[in-house]
Amino acid sequence: MNVLVINSGSSSIKYQLINMETETSLCAGLVERIGFAGGKLTHKAHPDTDAEKKIVIDQDFADHVAGMKRVVELITDPADGVIKDKSEIYAVGHRVLLGGEKITKSLKIDEWAKEVIREYIPLGPLHNPANLAGIEVAEELFPHAPSVGVFDTEFHQTMPPKAYLYPLPYEMYEELQIRRYGFHGTSHRYVSKSAAKFLGKAKEDTTVVVCHLGNGCSMSAVKNGQCVDTTMGLTPLEGLMMGTRCGDIDPAIVPFVMERKGCTPAEMDTIMNKQSGLLGICGLNDMRDIHAAREKGDAKAQLAFEMMAYRIKKYIGSYIAILGKVDAIVFTAGIGENDDFMRAEVCKDMEHMGITIDTEKNKVRSGEPRDISAGGSVKVLVVPTNEELEIAQATVEVLKG
Ligand code: ADP
């Protein structure tokens, strides 16, 4: 049984075909610059195995349907496609950004679900329309395969009102639906479940702090398997310092800068989302480049690195305060999984909270979940995330009822 996972962006489609018996990826790829000149399709059959075969096609795609049609040709190619026919796709799982308060769990896409995704476009202006486009493409190209929506916000729907409400006039919540929704929920759910499994515990009995540190960064406090707080808010801008996003700042900075610099709301949004974070501080947003610059003595790169770690540490402290006893602090995503410097910096001087990492274990590189804590410490785990597999598993669960 194969599930096609689609993450559709405004001008891109990321896809992966997963064999659910073996939970392995048959192929994965990305269609880029859809609707623009300079379109590109990067396709990998049997990714991350010895049989990996990469194909790069430079071709313009008028729209998402055209891009996905080309993907189908590759997947079903008689010579080296990974399946014979589209009918071998059992279902399509879609990553959808925002389902708001109306969608609290993954569901089979029907007219109502599409209406809800449409309704939340004002809160997810870039993603929700693109996710809808992906759903429509799947309906057109795979009419035999049901579509399931897996929402970034659903895992966080268990937060209590004291965590998800902002102390603004209450009407802003009622009229404008302004509240904390949280994002990266698929990753937080997968990683908190995997951490429980690694610890040999039921997820309902496992309490963890998850640090998803990629280009976008977020943390969640997961008590007995349920999210009780998360750092991202109404939009993915809140919380941690990220590659190009500022995360938490004094909200009064916004009108101040707009007045002083004569910025429009859109320009201010661009500054905070695309020109801030690591990039804003040191001119680099890829952590590997930041380490290379630090090694050469770049003081701004060092500062950016320390600022990011400092803010993660502050949230670990506050999440332990609200959770009480935690079973583990869990690191995941590009930086969380690969960057031992960042993990060491975050966990430095936290013995007073019962957290100590083992320097040697922290340096080990592996694609498997692992424990990097020193004896007697609260567990500190590195757990690789796999949002596509989580979406595929949720898709099957929904369809099997
Ligand atoms: P996205 O949010 O785009 O999915 P990823 O989870 O892929 O992001 O994470 C990207 C980040 O991970 C980048 O900052 C990148 O530099 C960082 N990263 C990847 N590999 C390493 C590594 N070996 N050491 C340090 N940082 C790494």
Side-chain angles (χ1 to χ4, degrees):
M1 183 201 295
N2 304 317
V3 173
L4 178 65
V5 176
I6 291 185
N7 182 352
S8 178
S10 52
S11 63
S12 68
I13 305 173
K14 216 172 144 187
Y15 62 90
Q16 192 164 149
L17 186 64
I18 300 180
N19 175 323
M20 297 310 290
E21 275 84 34
T22 55
E23 296 198 336
T24 52
S25 175
L26 295 175
C27 66
L30 175 68
V31 191
E32 293 169 272
R33 296 191 57 80
I34 295 172
F36 297 97
K40 184 173 168 188
L41 196 174
T42 311
H43 176 84
K44 280 185 191 169
H46 310 293
D48 307 322
T49 68
D50 294 341
E52 179 173 301
K53 187 170 177 216
K54 185 172 168 185
I55 300 171
V56 179
I57 297 171
D58 290 305
Q59 178 186 332
D60 291 351
F61 301 103
D63 53 26
H64 287 68
V65 174
M68 206 60 214
K69 271 191 178 156
R70 191 72 185 89
V71 172
V72 171
E73 281 168 20
L74 289 175
I75 295 179
T76 57
D77 186 86
D80 52 12
V82 292
I83 54 174
K84 284 201 188 66
D85 186 81
K86 282 199 293 193
S87 63
E88 289 179 45
I89 296 172
Y90 162 72
V92 185
H94 297 266
R95 181 245 175 170
V96 186
L97 186 79
L98 229 151
E101 291 184 339
K102 297 203 168 153
I103 295 182
T104 57
K105 48 182 195 261
S106 309
L107 80 183
K108 192 168 163 190
I109 296 288
D110 56 12
E111 286 311 311
W112 176 81
K114 285 199 259 184
E115 202 40 57
V116 174
I117 299 169
R118 222 168 272 129
E119 190 184 319
Y120 282 107
I121 287 176
L123 296 179
L126 297 179
H127 291 84
N128 272 30
N131 301 151
L132 267 178
I135 290 167
E136 277 154 15
V137 168
E139 287 173 342
E140 183 174 334
L141 295 184
F142 314 105
H144 65 283
S147 275
V148 170
V150 181
F151 294 74
D152 250 35
T153 47
E154 60 186 62
F155 181 64
H156 304 303
Q157 277 294 309
T158 47
M159 284 186 290
K162 66 184 174 191
Y164 71 66
L165 283 173
Y166 292 111
L168 289 165
Y170 198 80
E171 303 84 79
M172 294 210 170
Y173 168 57
E174 291 174 317
E175 283 169 26
L176 302 175
Q177 294 155 313
I178 291 179
R179 53 158 284 179
R180 178 183 308 286
Y181 291 102
F183 299 88
H184 289 147
T186 312
S187 175
H188 286 283
R189 182 167 65 190
Y190 179 83
V191 167
S192 53
K193 266 193 322 197
S194 302
K197 196 168 161 201
F198 180 81
L199 295 170
K201 297 179 72 159
K203 72 174 195 282
E204 294 75 17
D205 300 328
T206 308
T207 294
V208 292
V209 175
V210 179
C211 310
H212 175 112
L213 311 175
N215 277 316
C217 300
S218 67
M219 287 172 56
S220 61
V222 183
K223 194 177 181 82
N224 298 327
Q226 294 210 320
C227 177
V228 294
D229 206 349
T230 192
T231 55
M232 284 179 167
L234 174 74
T235 75
L237 185 56
E238 196 183 346
L240 299 174
M241 173 174 173
M242 313 183 203
T244 63
R245 296 189 191 119
C246 58
D248 296 337
I249 58 169
D250 180 345
I253 293 169
V254 176
F256 182 81
V257 172
M258 288 175 71
E259 265 173 40
R260 296 295 290 262
K261 293 268 197 185
C263 300
T264 63
E267 284 164 348
M268 191 65 216
D269 195 66
T270 302
I271 293 172
M272 294 186 295
N273 271 296
K274 304 227 165 93
Q275 298 166 0
S276 297
L278 296 169
L279 183 74
I281 296 296
C282 72
L284 301 167
N285 68 304
D286 189 300
M287 195 47 84
R288 288 162 290 201
D289 296 340
I290 290 178
H291 289 315
R294 286 172 64 224
E295 272 168 31
K296 291 191 195 127
D298 184 326
K300 289 260 181 71
Q302 178 64 25
L303 176 64
F305 169 74
E306 287 179 15
M307 283 174 71
M308 185 182 230
Y310 180 73
R311 286 167 168 245
I312 298 165
K313 190 193 278 276
K314 284 211 291 190
Y315 268 112
I316 291 179
S318 61
Y319 281 177
I320 291 178
I322 60 165
L323 289 171
K325 188 182 168 308
V326 299
D327 295 301
I329 310 295
V330 191
F331 287 95
T332 194
I335 297 172
E337 289 168 34
N338 298 303
D339 190 349
D340 52 303
F341 295 109
M342 180 56 78
R343 294 191 300 254
E345 183 73 14
V346 169
C347 297
K348 194 168 79 181
D349 300 329
M350 289 187 92
E351 293 80 9
H352 64 290
M353 297 190 93
I355 299 169
T356 317
I357 58 171
D358 180 306
T359 312
E360 290 313 311
K361 285 188 196 163
N362 184 35
K363 285 189 191 144
V364 173
R365 300 196 133 266
S366 151
E368 297 298 317
R370 55 203 184 273
D371 177 8
I372 59 165
S373 55
S377 163
V378 170
K379 298 272 183 239
V380 181
L381 308 181
V382 178
V383 175
T385 191
N386 192 339
E387 289 164 89
E388 286 78 13
L389 181 59
E390 178 67 26
I391 291 172
Q393 286 171 341
T395 299
V396 173
E397 262 171 48
V398 166
L399 295 175
K400 295 224 153 144

